[in-house]
Protein backbone atom coordinates (compact mmCIF):
# COMPACT_ATOMS: atom_id res chain seq x y z
CA UNK A 1 0.00 0.00 0.00
CA UNK A 2 1.15 3.52 -0.76
CA UNK A 3 -0.19 6.81 0.50
CA UNK A 4 0.36 10.27 -0.91
CA UNK A 5 -0.69 13.74 0.16
CA UNK A 6 -1.32 16.65 -2.19
CA UNK A 7 1.71 18.90 -2.00
CA UNK A 8 1.70 22.14 -4.00
CA UNK A 9 5.50 22.27 -3.70
CA UNK A 10 5.72 19.24 -6.03
CA UNK A 11 3.76 20.88 -8.86
CA UNK A 12 5.79 21.67 -11.99
CA UNK A 13 4.84 23.99 -14.82
CA UNK A 14 3.34 22.14 -17.79
CA UNK A 15 5.28 23.51 -20.71
CA UNK A 16 3.12 22.45 -23.64
CA UNK A 17 1.78 24.53 -26.50
CA UNK A 18 -1.60 25.98 -25.54
CA UNK A 19 -1.07 25.53 -21.78
CA UNK A 20 -0.85 28.66 -19.65
CA UNK A 21 -0.57 28.95 -15.84
CA UNK A 22 -1.01 25.17 -15.59
CA UNK A 23 0.92 22.91 -13.21
CA UNK A 24 1.03 19.11 -12.72
CA UNK A 25 2.58 16.54 -10.38
CA UNK A 26 2.29 12.74 -10.50
CA UNK A 27 1.03 11.32 -7.21
CA UNK A 28 1.99 7.65 -7.72
CA UNK A 29 5.23 6.18 -9.07
CA UNK A 30 5.19 5.42 -12.79
CA UNK A 31 5.60 1.71 -12.00
CA UNK A 32 1.96 1.46 -10.87
CA UNK A 33 -0.77 0.18 -13.19
CA UNK A 34 -2.84 3.29 -12.43
CA UNK A 35 -1.61 6.84 -12.78
CA UNK A 36 -2.87 9.69 -10.64
CA UNK A 37 -1.92 13.27 -11.44
CA UNK A 38 -2.58 16.45 -9.49
CA UNK A 39 -3.33 19.50 -11.66
CA UNK A 40 -3.58 23.17 -10.71
CA UNK A 41 -4.73 25.82 -13.17
CA UNK A 42 -4.20 29.32 -11.87
CA UNK A 43 -6.39 32.33 -12.60
CA UNK A 44 -6.62 32.95 -16.37
CA UNK A 45 -4.89 29.61 -17.00
CA UNK A 46 -5.89 27.19 -19.73
CA UNK A 47 -5.06 23.89 -21.40
CA UNK A 48 -5.31 23.32 -25.11
CA UNK A 49 -8.08 21.09 -26.42
CA UNK A 50 -6.75 17.53 -26.55
CA UNK A 51 -7.77 13.89 -26.29
CA UNK A 52 -6.36 10.64 -24.94
CA UNK A 53 -6.44 7.00 -26.03
CA UNK A 54 -7.74 6.08 -22.57
CA UNK A 55 -10.61 7.02 -20.26
CA UNK A 56 -9.88 9.48 -17.47
CA UNK A 57 -11.69 10.08 -14.22
CA UNK A 58 -11.30 13.57 -12.73
CA UNK A 59 -12.14 14.66 -9.19
CA UNK A 60 -12.43 18.41 -8.57
CA UNK A 61 -10.54 19.25 -5.36
CA UNK A 62 -10.83 23.04 -5.07
CA UNK A 63 -11.71 26.21 -6.91
CA UNK A 64 -13.88 26.41 -10.00
CA UNK A 65 -13.02 25.82 -13.63
CA UNK A 66 -14.57 25.31 -17.02
CA UNK A 67 -14.54 22.12 -19.07
CA UNK A 68 -14.62 22.70 -22.84
CA UNK A 69 -15.96 19.90 -25.09
CA UNK A 70 -17.63 19.62 -28.49
CA UNK A 71 -20.97 19.82 -26.62
CA UNK A 72 -20.10 23.18 -25.03
CA UNK A 73 -18.72 24.49 -21.74
CA UNK A 74 -19.53 23.18 -18.27
CA UNK A 75 -18.78 24.70 -14.87
CA UNK A 76 -16.77 22.38 -12.59
CA UNK A 77 -16.83 22.81 -8.80
CA UNK A 78 -15.30 21.03 -5.78
CA UNK A 79 -16.67 17.55 -5.12
CA UNK A 80 -17.63 16.90 -8.74
CA UNK A 81 -16.53 13.71 -10.48
CA UNK A 82 -16.04 13.75 -14.23
CA UNK A 83 -15.53 10.84 -16.66
CA UNK A 84 -13.86 11.69 -19.96
CA UNK A 85 -14.20 8.90 -22.52
CA UNK A 86 -11.28 7.83 -24.71
CA UNK A 87 -10.77 10.13 -27.70
CA UNK A 88 -13.21 12.80 -26.42
CA UNK A 89 -11.76 16.21 -27.22
CA UNK A 90 -11.61 18.37 -24.07
CA UNK A 91 -9.79 21.26 -22.45
CA UNK A 92 -9.89 23.19 -19.18
CA UNK A 93 -9.73 26.88 -18.29
CA UNK A 94 -9.89 28.99 -15.19
CA UNK A 95 -11.42 32.46 -15.70
CA UNK A 96 -11.86 32.81 -11.92
CA UNK A 97 -9.57 34.40 -9.30
CA UNK A 98 -9.04 31.27 -7.18
CA UNK A 99 -6.78 28.39 -8.30
CA UNK A 100 -8.61 25.41 -9.83
CA UNK A 101 -7.29 22.01 -8.69
CA UNK A 102 -8.27 18.51 -9.71
CA UNK A 103 -6.98 14.95 -9.72
CA UNK A 104 -6.87 12.83 -12.88
CA UNK A 105 -7.01 9.03 -12.57
CA UNK A 106 -6.30 6.67 -15.47
CA UNK A 107 -4.77 3.33 -16.36
CA UNK A 108 -1.19 3.42 -17.48
CA UNK A 109 -1.27 3.45 -21.30
CA UNK A 110 -0.10 0.25 -22.97
CA UNK A 111 1.87 0.40 -26.19
Amino acid sequence: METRKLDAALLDVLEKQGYENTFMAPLLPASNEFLVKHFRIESNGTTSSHDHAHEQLHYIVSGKGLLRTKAGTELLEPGMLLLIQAHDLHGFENPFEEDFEFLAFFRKPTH
Side-chain angles (χ1 to χ4, degrees), residues 15-87:
E15 295 190 23
K16 292 183 176 182
Q17 185 175 355
Y19 285 64
E20 294 181 29
N21 299 329
T22 300
F23 301 80
M24 187 274 297
L27 290 180
L28 294 175
S31 60
N32 287 321
E33 183 178 345
F34 290 94
L35 297 177
V36 180
K37 295 183 178 181
H38 175 201
F39 287 86
R40 180 179 74 214
I41 303 177
E42 294 178 339
S43 183
N44 297 313
T46 187
T47 71
S48 63
S49 291
H50 60 282
D51 69 348
H52 307 277
H54 53 271
E55 293 177 328
Q56 286 192 342
L57 188 63
H58 293 242
Y59 178 75
I60 310 308
V61 175
S62 65
K64 292 188 287 188
L66 300 177
L67 169 68
R68 299 182 318 271
T69 67
K70 289 181 185 178
T73 302
E74 183 175 345
L75 176 65
L76 302 176
E77 298 180 290
M80 293 179 81
L81 197 59
L82 166 69
L83 176 63
I84 298 176
Q85 298 291 338
H87 306 291

